[in-house]
């Protein structure tokens, strides 16, 4: 940790007095992110949408840039004025502007701080039983001087019936549940402190990250933000208009018991989890206006102490791992590479693709018999305003076997047992279509169709010691993982049609209703589907919330 402190002190010294407050704005307020995306698709603003969350200052500057633009529709002008009631707090001092409601707000030349409650509830009916999820808490955020930002929040959750869990294929936010009853409670706290300057920032957080393109919930290949928030150090640079750089080092939760450190107490065992860390970086180049080419790599390392080598932001981490662990996978760690391309060079059209490489053998990648490479790919587009106030989205995702997995359980691409990438995990494919319509300020209507299918869980087969019962697995091969076929057997599938309407009454205050028709099928239907959703395939839900 001495090295971390030295880096922070150095940055504080060389950037003193330079303005740049970077206060992360959580991705859960999707309406704000969708509006910023809409402005980018229309060519009104330009920003890197591959890396989220944005800062409040980034959003404020984007809204300010869009103000008065001739391409805005009447509804978009109203949306922009509505959001500036909130984000003008980043651009102005004091309260002398049309400001949103806050329970507490203070602003002067030194200190800005906002405090608000978090309240919400959602009811679900499957045709047989009505259950609910309620949550409550509070949040604060603010800036001190020209460079320092702080934020924190707490929300306590209760589900009258267990609705989530890492064992199920679900697009619900990940949670660490407590208690053994059918009803469940869990809490989520997030926060951080960020020191920023004109061309960069460094921070300490417990929060979510979303890296990669994709509009369906938790469908990003790199970081989907489905796993519960975890602690990490962030470092970002934007020295020129054509280059962004982002890095984080995180402390993940393995939930793998370290028996050597587990010990007995008076009423049982105190279980200690094995250490698990992640280091990840992403470079974004902008060779032409409105074209972002992002590439980076990450490493999951565990069963060891914190390694300051992986604090060096710009490394190729797999090579660094070879320095410590040679080429032996039994003592080495789990590295990944990724590429994301996002183009808005055609007005009103966002074209994107993501590639996640978990394991690759270049000499065998075109060998049909080997079927090599643990890779995932997503391609998609969103067309905005083909008709006024509409959006059309289509994306296809294909994830080969063993992506995100590893034969050493402490270095899987997971935290708290939740995959940090796509919610379908491995050996799966998905088609997602949606049509959105925003007839007036704050009202969002969306119809969507999701089709997916999933094959065998090969990692579970290997862990259970039953690989010899599966003839497609070549046990004589030195590289077993390179011979696994993609979806040779369909084990789980679903077609889902959903209609959702939400209305933002005041800033961060929503009412919403959603109707969903599912068609779960396959031998693993009960394994991957929460029992409540099996009891009825038509789900009607409605609720309201203030804050996130």
């Amino acid at each position: 940790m001495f090295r971390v402190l030295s880096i922070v002190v150095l940055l504080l010294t060389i950037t003193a007095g330079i303005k740049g407050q970077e206060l992360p704005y959580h991705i859960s307020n999707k309406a704000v992110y969708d509006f910023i995306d809409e402005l980018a698709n229309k060519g009104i603003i330009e920003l890197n949408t591959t890396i989220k969350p944005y800062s409040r200052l980034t959003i404020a500057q984007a809204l300010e840039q869009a103000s008065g633009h001739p391409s805005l529709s009447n509804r978009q002008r109203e949306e922009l004025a509505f959001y500036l009631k909130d984000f003008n707090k980043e651009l102005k001092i004091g309260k002398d502007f049309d400001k949103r409601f806050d329970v507490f707000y203070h602003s002067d030349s030194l200190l800005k701080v906002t405090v608000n409650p978090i309240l919400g509830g959602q009811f679900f009916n499957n045709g047989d039983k009505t259950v609910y999820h309620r949550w409550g808490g509070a949040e604060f955020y603010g800036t001190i001087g020209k460079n320092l930002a702080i934020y924190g929040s707490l929300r306590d959750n209760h589900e009258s019936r267990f609705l989530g869990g890492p064992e199920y294929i679900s697009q619900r936010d990940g949670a660490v549940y407590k208690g053994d009853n059918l009803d469940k409670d869990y809490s989520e706290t997030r926060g951080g402190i960020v020191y920023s300057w004109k061309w960069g920032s460094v921070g300490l957080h417990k929060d979510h990250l979303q890296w990669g393109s994709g509009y369906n919930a938790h469908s990003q290949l790199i970081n989907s933000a489905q796993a519960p928030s975890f602690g990490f150090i962030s470092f970002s640079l934007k020295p020129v208009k054509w280059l962004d750089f982002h890095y984080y080092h995180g402390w993940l939760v393995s939930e793998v018991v370290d028996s050597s450190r587990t010990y007995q107490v008076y009423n049982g065992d105190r279980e200690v989890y094995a250490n698990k860390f992640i280091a990840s970086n992403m470079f974004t180049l902008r060779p032409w206006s409105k074209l972002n080419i992002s590439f980076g790599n990450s490493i999951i390392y565990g069963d060891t102490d914190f390694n300051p080598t992986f604090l060096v932001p710009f490394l190729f981490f797999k090579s660094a791992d070879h320095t410590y662990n040679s080429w032996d996978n039994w003592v080495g760690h789990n590295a990944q590479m990724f590429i994301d391309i996002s183009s808005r060079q055609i007005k009103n059209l966002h074209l994107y693709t993501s590639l996640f490489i978990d394991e690759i053998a270049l000499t065998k990648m075109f060998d049909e018999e080997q079927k090599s490479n643990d890779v995932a790919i997503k391609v998609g587009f969103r067309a905005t305003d083909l008709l006024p106030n509409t959006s059309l989205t289509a994306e296809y995702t294909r994830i080969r076997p063993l992506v995100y997995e590893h034969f050493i359980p402490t270095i899987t691409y997971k935290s708290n047992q939740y995959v940090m990438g796509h919610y379908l995990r491995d050996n799966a494919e998905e088609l997602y279509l949606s049509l959105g319509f925003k007839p007036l300020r704050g009202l969002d209507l969306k119809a969507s169709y999701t089709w997916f299918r999933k094959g065998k869980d090969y990692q579970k087969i290997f862990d259970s010691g039953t690989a010899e019962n599966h003839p497609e697995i070549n046990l004589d091969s030195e590289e077993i993982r390179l011979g696994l076929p993609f979806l040779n057997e369909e084990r789980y599938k679903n077609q889902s049609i959903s209609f959702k309407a939400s209305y933002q009454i005041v800033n961060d205050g929503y009412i919403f209703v959603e109707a969903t028709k599912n068609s779960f099928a396959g031998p693993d239907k009960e394994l991957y589907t929460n029992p409540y959703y099996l009891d009825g395939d038509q789900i009607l839900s409605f609720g309201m919330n203030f804050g996130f």
Side-chain angles (χ1 to χ4, degrees):
M1 291 305 294
F2 175 76
R3 187 170 183 173
V4 180
L5 294 174
S6 299
I7 294 172
V8 172
V9 170
L10 177 61
L11 290 171
L12 292 175
T13 301
I14 65 175
T15 61
I18 302 174
K19 184 176 180 180
Q21 296 156 338
E22 293 291 317
L23 186 62
Y25 187 76
H26 198 267
I27 54 178
S28 53
N29 195 338
K30 294 180 176 60
V32 174
Y33 278 87
D34 278 350
F35 184 62
I36 296 298
D37 187 84
E38 187 178 356
L39 295 177
N41 289 356
K42 289 174 69 70
I44 296 172
I45 63 170
E46 184 173 354
L47 77 165
N48 181 6
T49 58
T50 301
I51 303 293
K52 298 181 179 76
Y54 307 146
S55 72
R56 285 185 58 89
L57 182 61
T58 296
I59 296 173
Q61 290 172 337
L63 295 173
E64 184 180 44
Q65 180 184 346
S67 295
H69 198 281
S71 297
L72 292 173
S73 67
N74 289 333
R75 191 269 306 170
Q76 288 164 343
R77 280 191 286 270
E78 292 176 3
E79 295 268 19
L80 192 146
F82 176 78
Y83 288 124
L84 280 174
K85 291 182 179 181
D86 186 3
F87 292 96
N88 257 336
K89 293 187 292 189
E90 311 307 309
L91 305 174
K92 300 178 182 296
I93 295 175
K95 304 178 182 179
D96 190 19
F97 62 95
D98 185 14
K99 192 185 77 66
R100 59 162 283 176
F101 166 77
D102 293 301
V103 168
F104 176 79
Y105 177 68
H106 173 81
S107 174
D108 61 34
S109 59
L110 175 64
L111 175 67
K112 292 183 181 181
V113 62
T114 300
V115 181
N116 277 314
I118 298 171
L119 299 168
Q122 185 173 8
F123 291 85
F124 304 82
N125 183 274
N126 62 5
D128 177 53
K129 182 175 290 187
T130 298
V131 299
Y132 66 87
H133 170 206
R134 59 167 169 80
W135 60 94
E139 66 172 351
F140 79 91
Y141 56 86
T143 57
I144 303 172
K146 296 180 178 180
N147 306 90
L148 192 64
I150 55 173
Y151 68 103
S153 64
L154 171 66
R155 57 200 52 74
D156 189 66
N157 295 263
H158 174 76
E159 294 176 357
S160 64
R161 178 166 173 169
F162 181 41
L163 296 172
E167 63 269 38
Y168 301 118
I169 299 294
S170 169
Q171 290 177 268
R172 289 183 63 80
D173 293 344
V176 181
Y177 290 90
K178 51 189 177 182
D180 298 324
N181 301 321
L182 194 60
D183 60 330
K184 292 290 184 177
D185 295 290
Y186 62 94
S187 66
E188 176 76 270
T189 186
R190 303 193 297 259
I193 180 169
V194 184
Y195 186 87
S196 53
W197 53 100
K198 187 176 181 180
W199 45 267
S201 67
V202 61
L204 177 62
H205 314 256
K206 182 184 183 288
D207 213 335
H208 294 98
L209 292 157
Q210 188 179 95
W211 286 15
S213 297
Y215 289 99
N216 197 12
H218 300 313
S219 70
Q220 294 74 25
L221 294 181
I222 305 168
N223 287 117
S224 70
Q226 184 177 38
S229 61
F230 56 85
F232 61 92
I233 297 168
S234 69
F235 177 59
S236 300
L237 294 175
K238 191 173 183 180
V240 290
K241 289 184 178 180
W242 50 267
L243 173 65
D244 296 354
F245 175 76
H246 295 270
Y247 161 87
Y248 71 91
H249 183 285
W251 280 253
L252 305 180
V253 184
S254 71
E255 295 196 8
V256 175
V257 176
D258 183 343
S259 59
S260 67
R261 294 193 295 156
T262 296
Y263 56 93
Q264 193 171 27
V265 294
Y266 72 96
N267 61 344
D269 289 336
R270 176 174 174 82
E271 294 184 337
V272 180
Y273 292 153
N275 292 336
K276 187 173 187 177
F277 308 92
I278 182 173
S280 185
N281 62 30
M282 180 83 89
F283 296 84
T284 299
L285 300 179
R286 212 162 286 107
W288 296 285
S289 176
K290 301 171 186 175
L291 174 64
N292 290 331
I293 301 174
S294 303
F295 56 91
N297 78 116
S298 62
I299 188 166
I300 310 284
Y301 69 102
D303 299 320
T304 185
D305 294 331
F306 162 75
N307 189 337
T309 296
F310 299 119
L311 272 183
V312 181
F314 314 106
L315 291 182
F316 184 63
F317 299 118
K318 187 176 184 68
S319 178
D321 185 43
H322 292 160
T323 304
Y324 289 91
N325 298 300
S326 184
W327 293 84
D328 188 348
N329 263 338
W330 292 103
V331 295
H333 299 291
N334 185 16
Q336 303 81 34
M337 296 185 294
F338 27 83
I339 301 170
D340 188 277
I341 301 174
S342 172
S343 170
R344 292 182 169 88
Q345 293 169 290
I346 302 173
K347 187 178 180 180
N348 294 330
L349 182 63
H350 181 201
L351 301 171
Y352 55 90
T353 184
S354 282
L355 178 66
F356 184 95
I357 303 170
D358 196 3
E359 188 82 27
I360 190 166
L362 296 177
T363 59
K364 301 177 182 179
M365 65 186 304
F366 301 111
D367 186 339
E368 282 298 318
E369 292 185 3
Q370 287 289 337
K371 300 180 178 64
S372 63
N373 308 309
D374 301 348
V375 299
I377 188 168
K378 175 188 290 290
V379 293
F381 74 86
R382 170 167 284 189
T384 300
D385 278 357
L386 293 180
L387 295 174
N389 300 316
T390 64
S391 64
L392 175 65
T393 306
E395 60 185 47
Y396 171 75
T397 306
R398 180 185 179 97
I399 312 170
R400 285 193 55 80
L402 296 181
V403 173
Y404 307 127
E405 295 290 348
H406 202 278
F407 55 84
I408 300 174
T410 53
I411 53 176
T412 57
Y413 199 75
K414 300 177 182 179
S415 185
N416 289 111
Q417 299 184 49
Y418 289 88
V419 166
M420 295 190 294
H422 198 285
Y423 75 97
L424 283 178
R425 310 170 200 173
D426 73 318
N427 202 16
E429 64 178 339
E430 177 193 58
L431 175 66
Y432 171 73
L433 306 171
S434 76
L435 178 64
F437 180 45
K438 298 180 179 180
L440 51 90
R441 199 288 303 160
L443 181 60
D444 189 356
L445 307 175
K446 185 172 75 171
S448 63
Y449 170 80
T450 304
W451 169 89
F452 70 74
R453 61 186 189 129
K454 185 171 173 59
K456 292 179 180 179
D457 186 340
Y458 286 107
Q459 190 61 56
K460 186 172 290 186
I461 291 171
F462 291 138
D463 292 343
S464 65
T466 59
E468 66 275 6
N469 298 329
H470 298 266
E472 74 274 19
I473 300 177
N474 182 7
L475 294 176
D476 295 328
S477 171
E478 293 182 0
E479 300 177 272
I480 293 175
R481 19 185 330 127
L482 299 182
L484 299 177
F486 172 72
L487 264 170
N488 69 318
E489 180 184 350
E490 192 175 84
R491 301 289 302 177
Y492 182 55
K493 64 180 180 179
N494 184 33
Q495 292 187 77
S496 173
I497 300 174
S498 176
F499 299 93
K500 183 175 182 178
S502 67
Y503 181 64
Q504 189 172 185
I505 306 168
V506 297
N507 292 88
D508 295 350
Y510 293 81
I511 56 174
F512 53 88
V513 60
E514 183 173 13
T516 303
K517 173 70 168 68
N518 293 305
S519 300
F520 299 112
D524 290 339
K525 178 175 69 172
E526 294 185 359
L527 177 66
Y528 289 126
T529 311
N530 184 288
Y532 178 76
Y533 299 99
L534 285 176
D535 291 343
D537 58 7
Q538 299 184 52
I539 307 293
L540 177 65
S541 70
F542 61 92
M544 61 186 301
N545 69 280
F546 181 80
F548 296 89

